[in-house]
């Protein structure tokens, strides 16, 4: 259930940005980039955000979630690939020595105000 | 109007984790974060470890549980510094985060601790995502949980520095394939070292205690090198 604290984190970051810019407008949309491996469940996040955002400048904001696929690089042969299973194995040389290039992030990309 | 932010929501946690790491480094404290599913035996392992090490080292424990102070009470019997974090007052959080640990550090007398154990909430998923400022992440897996856990919960195993395979005394009573379990753990983390033990009988605790001592020595040497 840690989507609740993540929803609070999103609101906190946006409020800090608004404060910095002395913006009084209401937030319409928040664009998020969520990695496939970040263990964040979008449904649970939307649900938590719904009640965390009440009476904040984010109250009417829509969460626009862009999922970032998992990308890996084999540390043995250097091949870049998108793993299909939770256990990462290089499709070429079958090595398990794998570096994750993307897919672990949980970013606020931008937000839109009116 | 569109405002570009590009901010990592988990960054706040990582910043606090680094602050914790700095505090702990200055004090030369080896900090170990123990993660497992509920019931894998983290607390009993800690009891046996404390029994083994307390005569030579000053030990502290941060106990994380959703509710109750049962585990802290079990460890307090060994006359060491123990602090319980209950997450039910903070929404029943499924993991410890860096801020909870920071507060706990504030209530411990760090000058008289050399080894600090953090017993995370029993959960194989969420704790893996939160850096606490520890030196090493230890994953505990007991034989009763089955050999496929490393591949079912790869994130936690991928981030671990050491695997403790617990409940070794049950090996001959279960249908578990220990070699397959170890092979699965290396599939997700080829560098993962493992120690097999039984907290119940004490088998293997020596080897684990040696691993801790070796890492404490390494940390001391490293902080001396940095200090000079």
């Amino acid at each position: 259930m840690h989507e609740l604290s993540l929803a609070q984190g999103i609101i906190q970051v946006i409020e800090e940005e608004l404060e910095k810019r002395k913006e009084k407008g209401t937030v319409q949309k928040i664009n998020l980039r969520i990695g496939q491996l970040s263990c964040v469940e979008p449904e649970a996040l939307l649900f938590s955000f719904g009640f965390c955002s009440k009476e904040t400048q984010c109250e009417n904001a829509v969460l626009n979630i862009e999922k970032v696929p998992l990308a890996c690089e084999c540390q043995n042969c250097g091949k870049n690939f998108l793993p299909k299973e939770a256990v990462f194995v290089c499709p070429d040389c079958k090595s398990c020595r794998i570096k994750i290039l993307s897919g672990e992030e949980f970013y606020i990309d931008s937000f839109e105000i009116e | 109007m569109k405002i570009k932010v590009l901010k990592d929501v988990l960054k706040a946690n990582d910043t606090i984790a680094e602050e914790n790491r700095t505090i702990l480094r200055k004090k030369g404290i080896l900090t170990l974060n123990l993660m497992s599913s509920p019931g894998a035996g983290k607390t009993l392992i800690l009891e046996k470890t404390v029994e083994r090490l307390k005569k030579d080292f000053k030990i502290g424990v941060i106990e994380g549980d959703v509710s109750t102070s049962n585990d802290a009470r079990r460890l307090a019997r060994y006359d060491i510094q123990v602090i319980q974090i209950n997450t039910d007052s903070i929404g029943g959080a499924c993991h410890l985060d860096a801020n909870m640990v920071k507060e706990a550090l504030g209530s411990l007398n760090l000058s008289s601790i050399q080894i600090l154990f953090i017993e995370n909430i029993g959960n194989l998923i969420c704790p893996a995502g939160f850096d606490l400022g520890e030196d090493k992440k230890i994953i505990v897996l007991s034989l009763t949980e089955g050999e496929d856990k490393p591949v079912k919960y790869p994130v936690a195993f991928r981030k671990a520095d050491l695997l403790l395979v617990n409940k070794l005394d049950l090996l001959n009573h279960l249908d578990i394939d220990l070699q397959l379990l170890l092979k699965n753990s290396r599939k997700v983390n080829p560098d993962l070292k493992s120690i097999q033990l039984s907290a119940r009988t004490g088998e293997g605790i020596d080897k684990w205690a040696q691993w801790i001592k070796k890492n404490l020595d390494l940390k001391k040497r490293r902080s001396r090198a940095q200090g000079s």
Side-chain angles (χ1 to χ4, degrees):
Chain A
M1 228 358 233
H2 76 246
E3 277 77 1
L4 182 64
S5 51
L6 294 176
Q8 287 166 335
I10 293 170
I11 295 165
Q12 197 186 331
V13 170
I14 304 261
E15 284 183 334
E16 282 167 14
E17 291 293 321
L18 291 170
E19 172 91 27
K20 233 174 20 195
R21 295 176 159 80
K22 308 264 177 260
E23 278 293 347
K24 296 266 179 272
T26 55
V27 180
Q28 300 294 312
K29 193 174 177 186
I30 302 171
N31 299 306
L32 301 172
R33 287 169 61 81
I34 302 185
Q36 198 182 327
L37 210 66
S38 64
C39 299
V40 177
E41 199 52 61
E43 282 296 317
L45 183 66
L46 291 172
F47 174 74
S48 307
F49 184 80
F51 61 82
C52 285
S53 61
K54 288 225 160 61
E55 293 170 27
T56 71
Q57 276 170 282
C58 299
E59 184 161 14
N60 299 313
V62 176
L63 290 188
N64 175 36
I65 298 175
E66 183 196 341
K67 290 189 188 167
V68 183
L70 182 58
C72 291
E73 182 187 74
C74 175
Q75 298 299 282
N76 185 42
C77 73
K79 181 173 175 75
N80 283 15
F81 65 101
L82 307 176
K84 295 192 175 56
E85 286 175 31
V87 176
F88 311 149
V89 182
C90 174
D92 279 4
C93 74
K94 311 291 175 212
S95 168
C96 294
R97 215 165 284 277
I98 304 298
K99 184 180 167 194
I100 297 167
L101 299 176
S102 73
E104 288 184 302
E105 56 273 79
F106 183 65
Y107 267 91
I108 302 176
D109 177 76
S110 57
F111 62 95
E112 293 164 33
I113 55 168
E114 205 177 74
Chain B
M1 181 174 58
K2 191 167 175 174
I3 298 176
K4 205 73 180 157
V5 185
L6 274 181
K7 265 207 177 147
D8 191 335
V9 182
L10 297 174
K11 191 81 191 165
N13 182 76
D14 293 349
T15 309
I16 300 170
E18 271 316 311
E19 289 168 15
N20 292 346
R21 193 165 280 118
T22 305
I23 295 169
L24 293 161
R25 187 171 44 227
K26 278 187 188 148
K27 298 276 181 192
I29 299 172
L30 176 73
T31 307
L32 306 174
N33 176 6
L34 271 78
M35 305 183 293
S36 79
S37 43
K42 293 187 295 304
T43 313
L44 192 57
I45 289 176
L46 280 183
E47 285 185 69
K48 294 297 169 89
T49 312
V50 169
E51 240 174 53
R52 182 66 49 101
L53 293 175
K54 72 172 260 207
K55 128 170 119 9
D56 301 316
F57 301 96
K58 290 174 275 185
I59 299 173
V61 178
I62 296 175
E63 266 297 333
D65 279 299
V66 172
S67 182
T68 82
S69 54
N70 295 353
D71 288 357
R73 274 206 298 271
R74 279 169 63 180
L75 284 153
R77 291 186 312 207
Y78 296 91
D79 201 22
I80 54 168
Q81 289 193 64
V82 184
I83 183 153
Q84 178 82 49
I85 301 175
N86 279 144
T87 61
D88 56 356
S89 58
I90 27 188
C94 43
H95 58 271
L96 293 181
D97 67 30
N99 200 40
M100 298 176 201
V101 170
K102 185 184 169 188
E103 281 177 23
L105 292 180
S107 343
L108 290 167
N109 177 10
L110 296 179
S111 301
S112 60
I113 293 179
Q114 292 166 288
I115 304 166
L116 177 65
F117 294 101
I118 303 174
E119 183 178 336
N120 218 311
I121 313 274
N123 176 343
L124 268 184
I125 307 167
C126 310
F130 291 82
D131 184 6
L132 305 178
E134 71 276 21
D135 293 296
K136 302 280 182 197
K137 287 188 202 300
I138 317 291
I139 195 134
V140 181
L141 181 63
S142 61
L143 288 182
T144 49
E145 293 171 70
E147 54 273 276
D148 58 353
K149 285 295 172 294
V151 287
K152 274 188 173 166
Y153 299 92
V155 179
F157 285 84
R158 197 171 291 127
K159 293 202 172 163
D161 299 290
L162 178 71
L163 166 67
L164 294 180
V165 180
N166 191 25
K167 306 192 185 176
L168 198 60
D169 51 307
L170 295 179
L171 184 61
N172 296 328
H173 305 283
L174 302 168
D175 291 328
I176 184 130
D177 182 342
L178 176 57
Q179 290 314 313
L180 180 60
L181 181 156
L182 296 172
K183 199 173 146 202
N184 281 339
S185 75
R186 285 192 299 265
K187 248 191 217 171
V188 293
N189 186 345
D191 300 319
L192 188 59
K193 298 260 180 330
S194 67
I195 294 175
Q196 296 148 33
L197 52 81
S198 163
R200 186 169 158 265
T201 65
E203 184 184 358
I205 292 288
D206 255 340
K207 217 172 159 196
W208 157 233
Q210 289 302 331
W211 185 93
I212 297 171
K213 283 186 207 166
K214 190 184 85 192
N215 278 279
L216 181 63
D217 277 349
L218 274 175
K219 173 140 193 176
K220 270 193 218 151
R221 245 179 282 157
R222 222 171 282 149
S223 49
R224 261 202 298 266
Q226 276 169 357
S228 61

